[in-house]
Amino acid sequence: MGSSKKHKIIIKFLNREANYKELEKLNTWLKNAKNVPIFNHFVQTEYIIALCMAEYNLKKAKKSIETKIKNSEKKQKVTLYKRMTVAATVLLIIGVSMFRLNNDHKISLSGNTNIIEIGSNKAILTLENGDQVALEKGKSFQAETISANGEKIIYSSRNKSDKAKEKLQFNYLTIPRGGQFFVQLSDGTEVWLNSDSKLKYPVKFIKGEIREIELVYGEAYLKVSPSENHDGVSFNVRTKAQTINVLGTEFNIKAYNDDDEIATTLVEGKVAIKKGKIEKILRPNQQSRIVQNLDRIEVMDVDVSQEISWIDGMFTFNEESLGEMMKVISRWYDVEVVFESAKRKNFVFTGVLERTKSFTDILKLIETTSEGEVEFEINRKTIIIR
């Protein structure tokens, strides 16, 4: 990242103006250990203090920050630091530091709040005979064509029974709230499932027939095995209100039961979205949105890196309402959210947060960013927002 570009991106980041691509560039820069103390120095001593002062002058602060960056680069000795991502920097430097400087914002705690855990790899596998198997850390499962551990489940294309090739047998993989899991289907298609999701799929696809799976509900990222590897046979994904026809591609589907919209985001390749008689073709960096009770498909350009950031362990919010944010966050931490005031749902937030952070750290950052407009109370696994 060039010096001039870097200065602009850091300033935009500090003023919450940076987009996701700019954050990625900053993240790459911060992977170099010698750059972290340069970044930390002026943020901790200049910018955070300035934010808490009524006489803060943005124009002067930006100029001062640019000067400090240039001077720090010349004088700063190389120091070994643990590599920090942009999201960690947001949380630890701006979020926690400002929280300490402004003690007026404190999260109210009652009951045993230690029961709120960070999400992890876990799932329930339902076999074709109805038996259920819990998949989680420390547990493994083996069957004729199935190999599973606490992180993933892989299906083999081998099958000793000729009859099994003539009849589809289905498994279900259910991801609870507070969970995530990976499955590789028998054709090599890879599927990452987010919290509160359910996938129906064949144990083995029938040769020469359309490969089809169903996202019963939830969110999934798919990397589909190309049709040319399967005698030209295409791949379909069904949801409750649409069918996606795929010819070898990567895309994300979000189809939660408590969302009115179904969003399909294309990363690579090409897909056809069908709802009834309506069909739309998606190109890379496009997203389709379907409202279940309306007969139309909307297509728009999006930043796909934001839409699939959950795969890399991030929450990414771009001018998102607090109501929608808490819906996403509550699935990962398996909590219930209650708004005492409906207008609090409309508070807008932009930021990148790590899914590996504690729930209270996440709330501290949101509460601080709201500048006193939003307060949280945690009562066991119920979150009250005032």
Side-chain angles (χ1 to χ4, degrees), residues 144-161:
E144 184 179 334
T145 59
I146 304 172
S147 176
N149 58 24
E151 297 180 352
K152 60 186 177 182
I153 178 170
I154 296 177
Y155 285 79
S156 169
S157 60
R158 299 187 305 273
N159 199 312
K160 297 177 182 179
S161 171

Side-chain angles (χ1 to χ4, degrees), residues 219 237 239 241-246 250-255 259-267 270-275 278-292 294 296-304 307:
E219 183 170 17
V237 182
T239 67
Q242 70 177 21
T243 299
I244 303 172
N245 180 247
V246 185
E250 295 185 35
F251 59 100
N252 194 82
I253 313 173
K254 189 185 295 183
D259 285 343
D260 293 331
E261 287 186 339
I262 296 176
T264 304
T265 307
L266 184 61
V267 179
K270 184 172 71 172
V271 297
I273 309 295
K274 298 179 182 179
K275 184 182 182 184
I278 305 171
E279 179 176 328
K280 296 281 187 179
I281 301 296
L282 287 190
R283 306 291 179 183
N285 301 309
Q286 288 188 330
Q287 180 183 84
S288 67
R289 294 184 184 177
I290 290 177
V291 178
Q292 295 185 53
L294 298 178
R296 68 169 182 261
I297 301 174
E298 295 182 0
V299 176
M300 62 203 70
D301 294 331
V302 295
D303 183 346
V304 296
E307 301 296 326

